[in-house]
Amino acid sequence: MKAAVIQFPGSNCDRDMKVALEQVMGAKTLLHWHGDADLAKDIEFIAIPGGFSYGDYLRSGAMAARSPVMKAIIAASNRGVPILGVCNGFQILTESGLLPGALMRNASQNFICRDVQLRVNKDTLFTKGYADDEIISIPIAHHDGNYFADEATIKTLEDSGRIAFRYAEDVNGSIANIAGIINKAGNVLGMMPHPERAVDSKHGGIDGQKLFHSLVKELI
Amino acid sequence: MKIRVFVTLKNGVLDPQGKAIHHALEGLGFDGVSDVRAGRLIELDVDENVRDEDVQDMCKKLLANTVIENFEIERN
């Protein structure tokens, strides 16, 4: 299986993501520079990593969402290729329109960096390996993770089971404690917590492994 | 020609930054401020042939995130 991790200027979780994809999924993983508009057609999984692309200029993820590679990513999404955006990757996915809503400054105004408890909805491509309502512990590290969308959008997400992860308690002000959502087709997941930082016992936890295992089962 | 684009948070969207500014103003002893909302001013230097529709397009595609923000365009 072949995967790509997209690198923007200011990405800083790209190498961690690559290691996770290689070690947990056994994927042949290439790092793809955002300025290269051609993304190999045989890529079976795309990860948009965390970081501070373009120094969070204008809005977090706003500049990256308009970079040359995004057209290829949108085309891949339309072909059904699974796409995972973590942290800044989630912000880029909302800014590009691949996912609804927006990620605003944390309600506390603080950068929050700690492990959080998440409640999993197992009925998505990315979470099949978990038990329903399983509580898992995954690290977060963000300033802009406060998920916002209008009432109609939140209702649609709730009614169609598109909230993949919720914080077990209020962490950053997100509506409905939303930590991660999928798109309508189900092949794009954006989440603020970092599953790639919880895949090795030396990380302090391995609760992120099942996310990558779920994808392997789906793709092979 | 100079164009100024004012980007502001929509009504109903929580503005933690505005709240923090409000709190700081109170701390400095300024009374009588009932709310603070913070936004962004973007100045563009454009050719005469850039139309209003073009600037609208710039706002919708990049300068503002219309999920959470409104924009106003001022030409002079």
Side-chain angles (χ1 to χ4, degrees):
Chain A
M1 144 177 212
K2 212 170 156 187
V5 176
I6 311 298
Q7 289 179 306
F8 299 92
S11 294
N12 64 12
C13 302
D14 39 341
R15 293 174 69 90
D16 286 5
M17 183 64 83
K18 183 172 189 279
V19 169
L21 302 193
E22 286 170 347
Q23 288 187 357
V24 185
M25 299 177 85
K28 185 168 181 255
T29 306
L30 57 95
L31 293 171
H32 183 96
W33 184 242
H34 75 110
D36 180 356
D38 293 321
L39 190 60
K41 289 282 189 296
D42 59 347
I43 296 290
E44 294 161 278
F45 175 53
I46 298 168
I48 307 180
F52 299 87
S53 55
Y54 293 88
D56 282 349
Y57 286 0
L58 194 61
R59 299 175 301 274
S60 299
M63 312 304 288
R66 279 85 181 168
S67 69
V69 74
M70 285 310 291
K71 275 188 185 153
I73 291 175
I74 290 165
S77 167
N78 291 337
R79 291 199 305 274
V81 174
I83 298 172
L84 168 67
V86 170
C87 201
N88 190 222
F90 186 12
Q91 295 159 346
I92 293 167
L93 289 173
T94 58
E95 278 284 343
S96 68
L98 281 169
L99 290 173
L103 291 145
M104 306 184 51
R105 183 54 44 104
N106 293 340
S108 64
Q109 286 274 87
N110 295 318
F111 188 98
I112 307 171
C113 183
R114 64 176 171 91
D115 290 349
V116 295
Q117 308 277 297
L118 302 176
R119 188 182 302 278
V120 183
N121 160 17
K122 75 166 176 55
D123 295 322
T124 81
L125 180 70
F126 302 85
T127 53
K128 286 179 177 175
Y130 293 97
D132 204 18
D133 281 339
E134 185 172 343
I135 299 285
I136 61 172
S137 177
I138 302 279
I140 57 165
H142 62 246
H143 211 164
D144 296 321
N146 178 355
Y147 185 81
F148 177 87
D150 60 36
E151 261 177 59
T153 304
I154 297 290
K155 187 171 181 336
T156 303
L157 292 174
E158 296 264 18
D159 292 351
S160 51
R162 286 170 53 190
I163 302 172
F165 298 100
R166 290 179 206 260
Y167 302 109
E169 56 177 23
D170 181 25
V171 165
N172 53 22
S174 291
I175 294 180
N177 285 337
I178 287 173
I181 56 168
I182 55 170
N183 66 341
K184 196 175 173 190
N187 65 309
V188 179
L189 168 68
M191 61 191 295
M192 290 312 296
H194 286 269
E196 81 283 8
R197 294 188 191 176
V199 294
D200 189 309
S201 55
K202 295 190 200 80
H203 287 162
I206 55 165
D207 285 357
Q209 278 187 357
K210 286 182 191 165
L211 188 155
F212 299 104
H213 284 151
S214 303
L215 279 169
V216 172
K217 284 190 188 138
E218 192 62 33
L219 289 167
I220 291 175
Chain B
M1 184 195 302
K2 288 243 192 265
I3 288 180
R4 304 172 99 196
V5 175
F6 296 91
V7 181
T8 52
L9 282 174
K10 287 183 175 175
N11 283 335
V13 175
L14 181 75
D15 179 8
Q17 190 176 213
K19 278 205 171 5
I21 296 168
H22 189 191
H23 187 68
L25 286 174
E26 286 174 338
L28 290 170
F30 292 104
D31 296 329
V33 180
S34 58
D35 194 21
V36 177
R37 306 279 284 172
R40 176 184 281 123
L41 164 65
I42 301 170
E43 288 186 332
L44 309 173
D45 228 332
V46 303
D47 297 338
E48 297 291 333
N49 57 4
V50 172
R51 302 165 305 166
D52 283 356
E53 303 92 275
D54 298 325
V55 183
Q56 291 265 350
D57 220 21
M58 292 178 204
C59 290
K60 287 178 191 161
K61 286 189 177 156
L62 179 64
L63 302 182
N65 179 344
T66 55
V67 174
I68 47 171
E69 293 168 333
N70 291 324
F71 60 85
E72 271 178 60
I73 298 164
E74 182 188 280
R75 270 179 185 266
N76 48 20

